[in-house]
Amino acid sequence: MNQKSAFDYSQYNLPDTSGHFGPYGGRFVSETLMAALEELREAYEHYLKDPAFLKELDDTLANYVGRPSPLYHAERWSRELGGAQIYLKREDLNHTGAHKINNTVGQAMLARYMGKKRIIAETGAGQHGVASATVAARFGMECVVYMGAEDIQRQASNVFRMKLLGAKVVPVTSGSKTLKDALNEAMRDWVTNVDNTFYIIGTVAGPHPYPAMVRDFQAVIGREAKEQCMAQTGKLPDALVACVGGGSNAIGLFYPFLADKDVAIYGVEAAGSGIETGKHAAPLCAGEPGVLHGNRTYLMEDKDGQIIETHSISAGLDYPGVGPEHAWLKDTERASYVAVTDDEALDAFHALTLIEGIIPALESSHALAYAKKLAPTMKKDQVIVVNLSGRGDKDIHTVAAREGITL
Amino acid sequence: MAGSRLKPCFDNLRAQQRTALIPFITAGDPKPEVTVPMMHAMVEAGADVIELGVPFSDPMADGPVIQKASERALAYHTSLRDVIGMVKEFRKQNEQTPVVLMGYLNPVEIMGYEKFAQEASAAGVDGVLTVDLPPEEAEDVMDIFSSNNLDPIFLIAPTTTDDRIKKVCSVASGFVYYVSLKGVTGAANLDIQGVADKMKQIRAHTDIPIGVGFGIKDAETAASVGSVSDAVVVGSALVNKFEEFADKPDNIQKEVVAVLSSMRSALDSGMEKAASK
């Protein structure tokens, strides 16, 4: 499966009609869900061309989410690093503080157009859960969020936010009690309540059409960034950098640039304590292809095919799989996937906070950490666009605890 | 080669107008040495086919009961290879009872389809039910399975459309497995009339035996489902006993045999099914 395939610059149009990106993606689910996935695919393909749907989506993104998000030239930090100019795509300024809402707005609208009254979601750190609970409140829908019991302990304030927004948060106590188990549990709910329930998956993984659909809702990031970069610098960026857990903010930025050959693309995974320690969350850098959560992709697994636990300081990157389109972009070498450690991410977290006055999410800090390495290797007139996918307020307790500070 | 044991087994049962009883247990639950003796005991108690669950870390289609069974088995690192080894061991004393492996795709994927099919077949496995492998994704796999005399067992659900029933039946062999309710294994209550209607719908497309599972709780549900199907699959009701007696593994066999025996006699005494056909 790892044979090299060429990336098709002239007409990249994946996934194919059955949801495959080369050997990746697809629909690996039990029979009960096949009809629901087919219904969803039809609705999504229909409404993505429906002018009324698109107009409402644009209005909501503009006036509720706060788009377009700025593209900000981090001049001081760029000067300090002494190389390429770093521009930050400010997804942290969206309503709810991260890119997640671009997708939940789209899917909740789709649910409403499809006549589904109940939405469910899985969440790790709670960001996607909050974004789902937010749109459920906005559209007046019932919302149930599945969250690992471990994560509920670690993210008490997000749990409270979801409850304030009217969502029911269900603790998941099976398996490793984290994001992957929450996803399993949400799938089980969906299988059981498939008639009236819409499952909002938070990332570009899962069975077809989710990876394509979530990408299409997130691609607004890249479309705006392209326009803004042209307007501010008069050219396309030389490189894009984004962190990759499931990979939705990354694919959102990358997708509109895939056909632009001269734009280098870097996805940054979580190396945790270091790839060599085995304590990481970097399936593209150190995993193998397999099948989990409805799609074929790179996974963190043991020799028997059991999914193994991941480690990262950033809860949002703590996932053993990755979106199948990233797997394909890796194999075709259209994008490069690299990994940075917890310590490197923390360094970048502090750097951006001190030098630019922007507190980044720990997830986004992984992208920043790689940009910090990349910029000095490039010329001063070159441009790197980094996706600042979320704000770091949610992470200050983690950072404080890590540094032995009691708040 | 002559094909798997499933077809002759079901032909024989049909000739006797008997409904097959198919117990499901998770291999390696609560510890590996329990499994093979349990398989023999279940045959004694009236099992016609055995479904052996292959433990997986992320059993998305299973309810809490079977999920915990996977966790207990994985505590001993029970692997797909180990499960194949158990079937081989079982075959030393039992040549005729068909064995179906039921699990998820990833352990098969990492072992390699070809290698898996060869080793499973050589060990005496007859069919493979991969929960997260619908026919659309199974084309390559099916060729490999059939050239190794393994029947691919596919699921049909209450939500499966008529078109898909046709499609599934056209590629299935051994038997098809009707998931009798929306939901995960071990869930809620069965709607027998709904099951009976779906059986008619499926039978319009195929002669392949139909097994019904998910929600067979006791002798009574087994008998009523058995009156409209070719086989009943009982999983969570048995695996519950593994959970209840996980720390006294010596007692599990007696408990499981009691449940199976009661289902067997309920199935055998409620045999007006010929009339309903």
Side-chain angles (χ1 to χ4, degrees), chain A residues 146-261:
Chain A
Y146 290 91
M147 188 167 182
E150 283 281 316
D151 291 333
I152 286 183
Q153 292 295 323
R154 292 190 286 202
Q155 304 286 340
S157 63
N158 268 343
V159 173
F160 188 57
R161 282 169 84 192
M162 287 184 265
K163 288 181 180 165
L164 286 173
L165 289 159
K168 184 178 163 202
V169 180
V170 180
V172 176
T173 55
S174 56
S176 60
K177 305 181 179 61
T178 60
L179 175 59
K180 78 175 177 72
D181 309 284
L183 217 151
N184 293 334
E185 209 56 42
M187 281 278 181
R188 293 182 183 115
D189 179 315
W190 198 30
V191 171
T192 309
N193 301 297
V194 66
D195 294 333
N196 70 344
T197 297
F198 188 106
Y199 179 17
I200 300 189
I201 293 185
T203 192
V204 285
H208 180 60
Y210 282 100
M213 178 172 69
V214 176
R215 173 196 71 194
D216 291 347
F217 286 134
Q218 291 292 2
V220 63
I221 301 172
R223 284 197 304 271
E224 286 176 7
K226 202 170 191 174
E227 236 172 69
Q228 291 165 324
C229 189
M230 288 300 291
Q232 292 181 36
T233 72
K235 57 172 196 165
L236 290 177
D238 298 281
L240 306 174
V241 182
C243 63
V244 177
S248 69
N249 89 82
I251 218 80
L253 176 65
F254 299 168
Y255 184 62
F257 292 94
L258 287 179
D260 300 310
K261 238 180 185 150

Side-chain angles (χ1 to χ4, degrees), chain A residues 20 26-28 30-32 34-35 174-175 180 184 188 191-192 195 290-291 293 296 301-302 304-307, chain B residues 55-60 62 67 71 74 79 106 109-110 113 131-132 134 137 155 157 159-160 164 182-184:
Chain A
H20 294 91
R27 255 183 203 171
F28 295 89
S30 73
E31 179 60 31
T32 313
M34 289 302 280
S174 56
K180 78 175 177 72
N184 293 334
R188 293 182 183 115
V191 171
T192 309
D195 294 333
V291 172
H293 293 151
R296 181 178 284 121
E301 56 185 336
D302 68 13
D304 296 330
Q306 309 296 347
I307 307 308
Chain B
F56 183 50
S57 53
D58 294 78
M60 248 167 40
D62 285 298
Q67 203 182 337
E71 287 174 15
L74 286 175
S79 68
N106 202 47
E109 177 122 340
I110 199 162
Y113 296 133
V131 181
D132 53 353
E137 300 285 353
L155 300 170
T159 51
T160 307
R164 280 188 61 80
K182 289 175 207 162
V184 292

Side-chain angles (χ1 to χ4, degrees), chain B residues 77-138:
Chain B
H77 301 284
T78 307
S79 68
L80 179 54
R81 276 197 172 77
D82 295 337
V83 179
I84 292 170
M86 290 172 187
V87 177
K88 196 171 177 185
E89 182 67 28
F90 173 74
R91 284 279 172 249
K92 287 182 182 164
Q93 289 173 54
N94 184 320
E95 252 308 310
Q96 68 286 346
T97 308
V99 175
V100 172
L101 299 189
M102 180 170 182
Y104 294 79
L105 186 58
N106 202 47
V108 178
E109 177 122 340
I110 199 162
M111 185 169 172
Y113 296 133
E114 193 79 52
K115 197 170 168 57
F116 163 74
Q118 286 166 3
E119 290 186 21
S121 178
V125 172
D126 300 283
V128 182
L129 197 175
T130 316
V131 181
D132 53 353
L133 185 69
E136 284 84 348
E137 300 285 353

Side-chain angles (χ1 to χ4, degrees), chain B residues 223-256:
Chain B
S224 53
V225 169
S227 70
V228 296
S229 69
D230 300 292
V232 297
V233 184
V234 51
S236 299
L238 301 180
V239 177
N240 268 326
K241 300 296 178 189
F242 285 73
E243 179 166 0
E244 199 179 329
F245 296 96
D247 49 356
K248 298 184 207 103
D250 294 344
N251 295 7
I252 299 174
Q253 194 167 309
K254 183 178 80 201
E255 298 286 330
V256 166

Side-chain angles (χ1 to χ4, degrees), chain B residues 4-6 9 21-23 39-40 42-44 46-51 87 90-91 93-100 123-127:
Chain B
S4 93
R5 294 169 187 81
L6 281 166
C9 170
L21 177 59
I22 309 183
M39 291 167 78
H40 290 301
M42 293 193 301
V43 173
E44 285 279 296
D48 300 293
V49 176
I50 289 176
E51 250 185 49
V87 177
F90 173 74
R91 284 279 172 249
Q93 289 173 54
N94 184 320
E95 252 308 310
Q96 68 286 346
T97 308
V99 175
V100 172
V125 172
D126 300 283

